Amino acid sequence: MRVLPVGEKALLVEVADGTEAQALHAELLRRRASGSLRVREIVPAARTVLLDGLDEPARVGAELPGWRVPPLPTRADEILEIPVRYDGPDLADVAAHWGVAVPEVARIHSAARFRVAFCGFAPGFGYLTGLPERYAVPRRDTPRTAVPAGSVALAGPYTGVYPRASPGGWQLIGSTDAVLWDHARVPAALLSPGVRVRFVVADPAPEEA
């Protein structure tokens, strides 16, 4: 663990990998909820966690490396289900990369249990971990100039759902009608760090008459 000061009231904590970052994020949230840690914002990323608005950054920075951070719990928490039509334009390419038949992509992906590791790129976009390492896929050599909202995509070890139409280089394997970002909803983001997710195979979209 490496703890770096950021300005007067913040710390950036670097750890070995995403699993450690998620475990640290969960422990920080627990300590804040219990009142033993006074901090305004806790923001996880791929291998870091930012603590902003600390009352005593120097003390917390000195104590953090000595904390015992338990692993993420394996108990079954509430799981958010997101229906997916596995109809993406990159489905065949992903199947070839995995060495399976095209229908197997939906089976493998929907059988995994995901967790939102961190958010970024666009409001409502979560980086979800949960697929075994052997199913990591590269980004497209040439990004698309426009990816439709609701596209379910893979890149490296992550699964993501595009909350709005935007450019993107992830491999598109499906689509969902779930609304990832809604200003009228509280909270506006459907996905937030720590949320557990399961993708459910949905019926194909009905053809237009």
Side-chain angles (χ1 to χ4, degrees), residues 48-69:
T48 63
V49 181
L50 176 69
L51 291 81
D52 191 15
L54 284 160
D55 279 0
E56 301 177 276
R59 179 184 63 80
V60 174
E63 294 177 354
L64 258 170
W67 283 9
R68 179 189 174 276
V69 179

Side-chain angles (χ1 to χ4, degrees), residues 44-135:
R47 291 180 53 247
T48 63
V49 181
L50 176 69
L51 291 81
D52 191 15
L54 284 160
D55 279 0
E56 301 177 276
R59 179 184 63 80
V60 174
E63 294 177 354
L64 258 170
W67 283 9
R68 179 189 174 276
V69 179
L72 288 170
T74 56
R75 60 186 175 83
D77 291 334
E78 183 177 353
I79 296 177
L80 172 66
E81 293 190 346
I82 298 180
V84 177
R85 295 179 294 273
Y86 286 90
D87 55 4
D90 299 321
L91 203 60
D93 290 341
V94 170
H97 187 80
W98 288 358
V100 301
V102 170
E104 282 292 287
V105 174
R107 186 192 66 77
I108 292 168
H109 190 257
S110 61
R113 295 298 179 267
F114 294 89
R115 180 185 177 93
V116 182
F118 56 97
C119 296
F121 167 63
F125 189 95
Y127 290 75
L128 281 68
T129 57
L131 278 176
E133 185 177 348
R134 66 182 179 276
Y135 295 126

